[in-house]
Amino acid sequence: MSYLDLNLSLTEEDIQLREAAHKFAKEVMRPIARELDLMSPEEALAEDSPLWEFMRKAYELGYHKIIMPEEVGGLGATPLQAHIVFEELGWGSFGLAVLLAVAFLPFYGLLLSGNQELIEKFTVPFCACDDGSIRGCWAITEPDHGSDAFGHGEEFFESPSMRANVQAQLEGDEWVINGQKAAWVSGACTATHVMMHPQIDQSRGMAGFGICIVPLDLEGVTKGKPLKKVGQRDLNQGELFFDNVRIPKEYMFIEPEAYHPGAFDRILAATKICMSIWSTGLARAAYDEALEYAKERVQGGKPLIEHYAMRERIFNMFARVETCRALSRAVTNFNLSVPTPFSEYSAVAKTICTQKCFENAHEAVQILGGNGLTEEYLTEKLFRDARATLIEDGNNEVLAREGGFILSETYPRSISMG
Ligand SMILES: Cc1cc2nc3c(=O)[nH]c(=O)nc-3n(C[C@H](O)[C@H](O)[C@H](O)COP(=O)(O)OP(=O)(O)OC[C@H]3O[C@@H](n4cnc5c(N)ncnc54)[C@H](O)[C@@H]3O)c2cc1C
């Protein structure tokens, strides 16, 4: 693999990281993702599933802690390095890239708490884990609240009429949690811990949430059946049920005062950035497949690529990849470097990059003709995986509500770089 990177200041370390991540994506992720994709959700979770080999190898290489700071045992990658690696992982498999990210999200989220005891108890052992045995997931979506949970800026968000499915009540030194998170929780079936958003103060509506860490072996926690779905089938998803689950008070590391604006916005800004980067990788994977096929397939007496109309289509695919990379990288560098991320930019990156990645996946199928629809070629999987990105981490049209910032008194926004 080699492609021109429009950055003349990449260091030798950056380039090595990219090469190593690409090798992992090609040799480990691609074949395992395809196997998982063709299995039933239950088979994909069985003891002899190749899923476990993926987790073990990813952890061995430290990809679960790449963005964790060195002080807690992470690799301390720069935002640019995180972008470089995540793009390769997205190229390898969008679903497995998500699985790996949700595995670290609770332990990364705990860094927001500033609570050293919790960081020592959970984050440090997670970073030290090199066999994939500690795995997180992130549960915000509920059966009755999908887009609602992402609706900050909308009137309903702070309405006391919004009652969440998962409630937490303080009893002495413990929080008692009851309710259900939706079947969409990525990695729930394989997770050992969840970073969970329960409602604490209904008088504040969806802004009355907290964020806590819950070890999933606690009494009262049960998991639903793995979800069967069209795309990202290599990513397991399932419900989480909480029946009088008790956690120590300090495990609720964010309470409503610091939720929104605050930790909620920072988490969403980060997850959307990841979505935009993996989409860049998937858009590139689709481009690669289409280009290779167009060079081989002969119609009209010459390879497809030699037809002007085809060259224009391939050029447009290439342009989408470059657009995705430029936008996602700019937002990653910016939003992971400033104290308070500008969430509208993360939303722009997520919506544009997922849309362009879907367009590329769609066009790749079309360029391969009938072959593009068959399991013999990667394009049909890329197409299904890309379709899910338009909904995942917030429906794109709903995220466009971030456009509400234009009405705010603080627009145009500015930042003091100190
Ligand atoms: C692959 C995948 C991975 C995911 N991973 C996770 C995860 O790890 N953790 C987690 O908690 N969740 C996860 N989700 C859930 C995801 O965040 C939700 O699916 C998403 O927010 C949309 O919610 P919903 O599916 O309930 O759709 P709904 O919110 O019910 O939306 C249905 C339709 O109504 C529209 N709509 C909704 N609200 C409004 C409104 N106010 N005004 C106008 N139109 C509206 C939407 O645009 C959409 O077209 C994942 C989803 C997918 C697909």
Short mmCIF file of all heavy atoms in Angstrom, two decimals, residues 98 102 138-143 145-148 150 154 156 184-187 229 231-232 235 237 388-389 391-398 401, ligand 1:
data_model
loop_
_atom_site.label_atom_id
_atom_site.label_comp_id
_atom_site.label_asym_id
_atom_site.label_seq_id
_atom_site.Cartn_x
_atom_site.Cartn_y
_atom_site.Cartn_z
N VAL A 98 -14.92 -0.29 15.37
CA VAL A 98 -15.85 0.20 16.40
C VAL A 98 -15.72 -0.65 17.67
O VAL A 98 -15.66 -0.13 18.79
CB VAL A 98 -17.32 0.16 15.91
CG1 VAL A 98 -18.29 0.57 17.02
CG2 VAL A 98 -17.52 1.05 14.70
N VAL A 102 -15.02 0.96 21.32
CA VAL A 102 -15.92 0.92 22.49
C VAL A 102 -15.25 0.15 23.63
O VAL A 102 -15.55 0.38 24.79
CB VAL A 102 -17.33 0.35 22.18
CG1 VAL A 102 -18.11 1.30 21.29
CG2 VAL A 102 -17.29 -1.05 21.61
N TRP A 138 -20.27 1.12 25.47
CA TRP A 138 -20.82 2.45 25.79
C TRP A 138 -22.33 2.41 25.55
O TRP A 138 -22.77 2.14 24.43
CB TRP A 138 -20.16 3.49 24.90
CG TRP A 138 -20.73 4.86 24.99
CD1 TRP A 138 -20.96 5.58 26.12
CD2 TRP A 138 -21.13 5.71 23.89
NE1 TRP A 138 -21.48 6.81 25.80
CE2 TRP A 138 -21.58 6.92 24.45
CE3 TRP A 138 -21.13 5.56 22.51
CZ2 TRP A 138 -22.05 7.98 23.66
CZ3 TRP A 138 -21.59 6.61 21.73
CH2 TRP A 138 -22.04 7.80 22.31
N ALA A 139 -23.10 2.67 26.62
CA ALA A 139 -24.56 2.58 26.48
C ALA A 139 -25.22 3.91 26.78
O ALA A 139 -25.30 4.34 27.93
CB ALA A 139 -25.09 1.51 27.43
N ILE A 140 -25.68 4.54 25.72
CA ILE A 140 -26.46 5.78 25.88
C ILE A 140 -27.87 5.56 25.33
O ILE A 140 -28.85 5.97 25.93
CB ILE A 140 -25.74 6.99 25.21
CG1 ILE A 140 -26.58 8.27 25.34
CG2 ILE A 140 -25.37 6.73 23.76
CD1 ILE A 140 -25.81 9.54 25.01
N THR A 141 -27.97 4.84 24.18
CA THR A 141 -29.27 4.66 23.50
C THR A 141 -30.18 3.74 24.32
O THR A 141 -29.74 2.75 24.89
CB THR A 141 -29.03 4.04 22.11
OG1 THR A 141 -28.04 4.81 21.45
CG2 THR A 141 -30.30 4.04 21.28
N GLU A 142 -31.47 4.09 24.32
CA GLU A 142 -32.46 3.31 25.06
C GLU A 142 -33.58 2.88 24.11
O GLU A 142 -33.75 3.48 23.05
CB GLU A 142 -33.06 4.18 26.18
CG GLU A 142 -31.99 4.71 27.12
CD GLU A 142 -32.57 5.33 28.37
OE1 GLU A 142 -33.72 5.83 28.30
OE2 GLU A 142 -31.89 5.30 29.40
N PRO A 143 -34.37 1.89 24.52
CA PRO A 143 -35.46 1.47 23.65
C PRO A 143 -36.36 2.65 23.25
O PRO A 143 -36.77 2.77 22.10
CB PRO A 143 -36.23 0.45 24.49
CG PRO A 143 -35.24 -0.07 25.47
CD PRO A 143 -34.27 1.05 25.73
N HIS A 145 -35.54 5.96 23.58
CA HIS A 145 -34.79 7.19 23.28
C HIS A 145 -33.55 6.90 22.45
O HIS A 145 -32.52 6.47 22.99
CB HIS A 145 -34.40 7.91 24.58
CG HIS A 145 -35.57 8.27 25.43
ND1 HIS A 145 -36.45 9.28 25.08
CD2 HIS A 145 -36.05 7.72 26.58
CE1 HIS A 145 -37.40 9.35 26.00
NE2 HIS A 145 -37.19 8.42 26.91
N GLY A 146 -33.70 7.10 21.13
CA GLY A 146 -32.55 6.96 20.23
C GLY A 146 -31.98 8.34 19.98
O GLY A 146 -31.08 8.81 20.70
N SER A 147 -32.54 9.03 18.99
CA SER A 147 -32.07 10.39 18.67
C SER A 147 -32.26 11.34 19.84
O SER A 147 -31.52 12.32 19.97
CB SER A 147 -32.84 10.92 17.46
OG SER A 147 -32.70 10.06 16.38
N ASP A 148 -33.26 11.07 20.70
CA ASP A 148 -33.51 11.98 21.84
C ASP A 148 -32.25 12.21 22.66
O ASP A 148 -31.99 13.31 23.13
CB ASP A 148 -34.57 11.37 22.78
CG ASP A 148 -35.97 11.39 22.17
OD1 ASP A 148 -36.14 12.02 21.10
OD2 ASP A 148 -36.87 10.78 22.78
N PHE A 150 -29.35 12.39 21.74
CA PHE A 150 -28.37 13.25 21.06
C PHE A 150 -28.96 14.64 20.78
O PHE A 150 -28.39 15.40 20.02
CB PHE A 150 -27.97 12.61 19.72
CG PHE A 150 -27.26 11.28 19.86
CD1 PHE A 150 -27.97 10.11 20.06
CD2 PHE A 150 -25.88 11.21 19.79
CE1 PHE A 150 -27.33 8.89 20.20
CE2 PHE A 150 -25.22 10.00 19.93
CZ PHE A 150 -25.94 8.83 20.14
N GLU A 154 -32.13 21.07 21.38
CA GLU A 154 -33.58 21.04 21.08
C GLU A 154 -34.36 21.35 22.37
O GLU A 154 -33.89 21.02 23.47
CB GLU A 154 -33.98 19.65 20.61
CG GLU A 154 -33.39 19.23 19.29
CD GLU A 154 -34.20 19.73 18.11
OE1 GLU A 154 -35.44 19.67 18.18
OE2 GLU A 154 -33.59 20.20 17.14
N PHE A 156 -36.97 19.96 23.66
CA PHE A 156 -37.39 18.81 24.48
C PHE A 156 -36.27 18.30 25.38
O PHE A 156 -36.52 17.64 26.38
CB PHE A 156 -37.89 17.66 23.58
CG PHE A 156 -36.81 16.99 22.79
CD1 PHE A 156 -35.98 16.06 23.39
CD2 PHE A 156 -36.61 17.28 21.45
CE1 PHE A 156 -34.96 15.43 22.67
CE2 PHE A 156 -35.61 16.67 20.72
CZ PHE A 156 -34.78 15.74 21.34
N TRP A 184 -28.74 -1.70 20.69
CA TRP A 184 -27.72 -1.12 19.81
C TRP A 184 -26.37 -0.93 20.47
O TRP A 184 -25.46 -0.37 19.86
CB TRP A 184 -28.22 0.23 19.28
CG TRP A 184 -29.36 0.04 18.36
CD1 TRP A 184 -30.65 0.36 18.60
CD2 TRP A 184 -29.33 -0.55 17.06
NE1 TRP A 184 -31.43 -0.01 17.53
CE2 TRP A 184 -30.63 -0.56 16.58
CE3 TRP A 184 -28.29 -1.09 16.28
CZ2 TRP A 184 -30.96 -1.09 15.33
CZ3 TRP A 184 -28.61 -1.60 15.04
CH2 TRP A 184 -29.93 -1.60 14.58
N VAL A 185 -26.25 -1.37 21.73
CA VAL A 185 -24.98 -1.13 22.43
C VAL A 185 -23.88 -1.98 21.80
O VAL A 185 -23.87 -3.22 21.93
CB VAL A 185 -25.13 -1.43 23.94
CG1 VAL A 185 -23.80 -1.23 24.65
CG2 VAL A 185 -26.22 -0.54 24.55
N SER A 186 -22.97 -1.31 21.10
CA SER A 186 -21.90 -2.02 20.39
C SER A 186 -20.97 -2.69 21.39
O SER A 186 -20.53 -2.07 22.36
CB SER A 186 -21.07 -1.04 19.56
OG SER A 186 -21.89 -0.39 18.63
N GLY A 187 -20.70 -3.95 21.12
CA GLY A 187 -19.76 -4.69 21.97
C GLY A 187 -20.37 -5.16 23.28
O GLY A 187 -19.67 -5.74 24.12
N LYS A 229 -28.28 -8.18 12.13
CA LYS A 229 -28.53 -6.97 11.33
C LYS A 229 -27.85 -7.04 9.97
O LYS A 229 -27.09 -7.97 9.69
CB LYS A 229 -28.08 -5.73 12.11
CG LYS A 229 -26.60 -5.74 12.48
CD LYS A 229 -26.30 -4.63 13.46
CE LYS A 229 -24.81 -4.38 13.62
NZ LYS A 229 -24.05 -5.46 14.23
N GLY A 231 -25.71 -4.64 8.29
CA GLY A 231 -24.32 -4.21 8.10
C GLY A 231 -23.54 -4.28 9.40
O GLY A 231 -24.13 -4.42 10.47
N GLN A 232 -22.23 -4.19 9.28
CA GLN A 232 -21.35 -4.29 10.45
C GLN A 232 -21.71 -5.51 11.29
O GLN A 232 -21.79 -5.44 12.52
CB GLN A 232 -21.38 -3.00 11.27
CG GLN A 232 -20.84 -1.81 10.49
CD GLN A 232 -20.81 -0.51 11.26
OE1 GLN A 232 -20.65 -0.50 12.47
NE2 GLN A 232 -20.97 0.60 10.56
N LEU A 235 -19.55 -6.62 14.16
CA LEU A 235 -19.64 -5.87 15.42
C LEU A 235 -20.83 -6.42 16.21
O LEU A 235 -21.98 -6.26 15.78
CB LEU A 235 -19.87 -4.38 15.11
CG LEU A 235 -20.28 -3.49 16.28
CD1 LEU A 235 -19.15 -3.35 17.29
CD2 LEU A 235 -20.70 -2.11 15.78
N GLN A 237 -23.73 -6.57 18.96
CA GLN A 237 -24.53 -5.56 19.65
C GLN A 237 -25.64 -6.24 20.45
O GLN A 237 -26.14 -7.28 20.02
CB GLN A 237 -25.16 -4.60 18.64
CG GLN A 237 -24.12 -3.76 17.91
CD GLN A 237 -24.73 -2.76 16.96
OE1 GLN A 237 -25.23 -3.15 15.92
NE2 GLN A 237 -24.68 -1.50 17.29
N ALA A 388 -24.86 1.38 7.52
CA ALA A 388 -25.11 1.53 8.97
C ALA A 388 -24.54 2.84 9.51
O ALA A 388 -25.07 3.41 10.46
CB ALA A 388 -24.51 0.35 9.72
N THR A 389 -23.48 3.35 8.88
CA THR A 389 -22.82 4.55 9.44
C THR A 389 -23.72 5.79 9.39
O THR A 389 -23.51 6.74 10.15
CB THR A 389 -21.52 4.90 8.68
OG1 THR A 389 -21.83 5.35 7.35
CG2 THR A 389 -20.57 3.72 8.61
N ILE A 391 -26.66 5.97 10.35
CA ILE A 391 -27.54 5.94 11.53
C ILE A 391 -26.72 5.91 12.82
O ILE A 391 -27.06 6.55 13.82
CB ILE A 391 -28.45 4.68 11.47
CG1 ILE A 391 -29.33 4.73 10.23
CG2 ILE A 391 -29.29 4.54 12.74
CD1 ILE A 391 -30.04 3.41 9.90
N GLU A 392 -25.63 5.16 12.75
CA GLU A 392 -24.77 4.90 13.91
C GLU A 392 -24.25 6.21 14.52
O GLU A 392 -23.88 7.13 13.80
CB GLU A 392 -23.58 4.10 13.34
CG GLU A 392 -22.64 3.52 14.31
CD GLU A 392 -21.69 2.56 13.57
OE1 GLU A 392 -21.76 2.47 12.32
OE2 GLU A 392 -20.89 1.90 14.25
N ASP A 393 -24.24 6.26 15.84
CA ASP A 393 -23.74 7.44 16.56
C ASP A 393 -24.55 8.69 16.21
O ASP A 393 -24.02 9.80 16.17
CB ASP A 393 -22.25 7.66 16.24
CG ASP A 393 -21.53 8.32 17.42
OD1 ASP A 393 -22.03 8.22 18.55
OD2 ASP A 393 -20.51 8.96 17.18
N GLY A 394 -25.81 8.49 15.95
CA GLY A 394 -26.69 9.61 15.63
C GLY A 394 -27.04 9.64 14.17
O GLY A 394 -26.16 9.68 13.31
N ASN A 395 -28.36 9.59 13.87
CA ASN A 395 -28.81 9.73 12.47
C ASN A 395 -28.24 11.02 11.90
O ASN A 395 -28.30 12.07 12.55
CB ASN A 395 -30.34 9.84 12.43
CG ASN A 395 -31.03 8.51 12.58
OD1 ASN A 395 -30.98 7.68 11.71
ND2 ASN A 395 -31.67 8.32 13.72
N ASN A 396 -27.75 10.95 10.66
CA ASN A 396 -27.11 12.15 10.09
C ASN A 396 -28.03 13.37 10.06
O ASN A 396 -27.62 14.48 10.37
CB ASN A 396 -26.59 11.85 8.69
CG ASN A 396 -25.25 11.14 8.73
OD1 ASN A 396 -24.75 10.82 9.83
ND2 ASN A 396 -24.66 10.88 7.59
N GLU A 397 -29.29 13.13 9.69
CA GLU A 397 -30.19 14.28 9.57
C GLU A 397 -30.46 14.89 10.95
O GLU A 397 -30.68 16.09 11.08
CB GLU A 397 -31.48 13.91 8.83
CG GLU A 397 -32.30 12.79 9.43
CD GLU A 397 -31.78 11.38 9.12
OE1 GLU A 397 -30.69 11.21 8.58
OE2 GLU A 397 -32.50 10.44 9.44
N VAL A 398 -30.41 14.06 11.99
CA VAL A 398 -30.62 14.57 13.34
C VAL A 398 -29.40 15.37 13.80
O VAL A 398 -29.51 16.42 14.43
CB VAL A 398 -30.93 13.39 14.30
CG1 VAL A 398 -30.80 13.82 15.75
CG2 VAL A 398 -32.34 12.86 14.04
N ARG A 401 -28.93 19.01 13.31
CA ARG A 401 -29.49 19.99 14.25
C ARG A 401 -28.39 20.80 14.93
O ARG A 401 -28.66 21.84 15.52
CB ARG A 401 -30.30 19.28 15.34
CG ARG A 401 -31.57 18.66 14.82
CD ARG A 401 -32.40 18.10 15.94
NE ARG A 401 -31.68 17.11 16.72
CZ ARG A 401 -32.27 16.16 17.43
NH1 ARG A 401 -33.57 16.07 17.46
NH2 ARG A 401 -31.57 15.31 18.14
C1 LIG B 1 -24.10 0.17 13.88
C2 LIG B 1 -24.64 0.93 15.06
C3 LIG B 1 -23.87 1.03 16.21
C4 LIG B 1 -24.38 1.69 17.34
N1 LIG B 1 -23.64 1.70 18.50
C5 LIG B 1 -24.16 2.23 19.63
C6 LIG B 1 -23.45 2.16 20.89
O1 LIG B 1 -22.33 1.65 20.95
N2 LIG B 1 -24.04 2.65 21.99
C7 LIG B 1 -25.26 3.22 21.97
O2 LIG B 1 -25.72 3.64 23.03
N3 LIG B 1 -25.96 3.33 20.79
C8 LIG B 1 -25.45 2.84 19.65
N4 LIG B 1 -26.15 2.92 18.45
C9 LIG B 1 -27.46 3.54 18.45
C10 LIG B 1 -27.54 4.82 17.62
O3 LIG B 1 -26.91 5.87 18.29
C11 LIG B 1 -29.03 5.08 17.34
O4 LIG B 1 -29.47 4.06 16.48
C12 LIG B 1 -29.24 6.42 16.70
O5 LIG B 1 -28.97 7.46 17.62
C13 LIG B 1 -30.67 6.57 16.16
O6 LIG B 1 -31.61 6.19 17.10
P1 LIG B 1 -32.82 5.23 16.68
O7 LIG B 1 -32.22 4.09 15.95
O8 LIG B 1 -33.61 4.95 17.89
O9 LIG B 1 -33.67 6.04 15.65
P2 LIG B 1 -34.80 7.15 15.99
O10 LIG B 1 -34.24 8.16 16.93
O11 LIG B 1 -36.06 6.50 16.40
O12 LIG B 1 -34.98 7.86 14.59
C14 LIG B 1 -35.84 7.32 13.58
C15 LIG B 1 -36.00 8.35 12.44
O13 LIG B 1 -36.64 9.53 12.95
C16 LIG B 1 -35.85 10.69 12.72
N5 LIG B 1 -35.93 11.55 13.92
C17 LIG B 1 -35.64 11.21 15.19
N6 LIG B 1 -35.84 12.25 16.02
C18 LIG B 1 -36.29 13.27 15.27
C19 LIG B 1 -36.67 14.62 15.56
N7 LIG B 1 -36.62 15.12 16.81
N8 LIG B 1 -37.06 15.40 14.53
C20 LIG B 1 -37.12 14.91 13.26
N9 LIG B 1 -36.77 13.65 12.93
C21 LIG B 1 -36.35 12.83 13.93
C22 LIG B 1 -34.43 10.17 12.50
O14 LIG B 1 -33.68 11.03 11.66
C23 LIG B 1 -34.66 8.81 11.87
O15 LIG B 1 -34.79 8.95 10.48
C24 LIG B 1 -25.65 2.29 17.30
C25 LIG B 1 -26.41 2.22 16.12
C26 LIG B 1 -25.92 1.55 15.01
C27 LIG B 1 -26.75 1.47 13.78
#
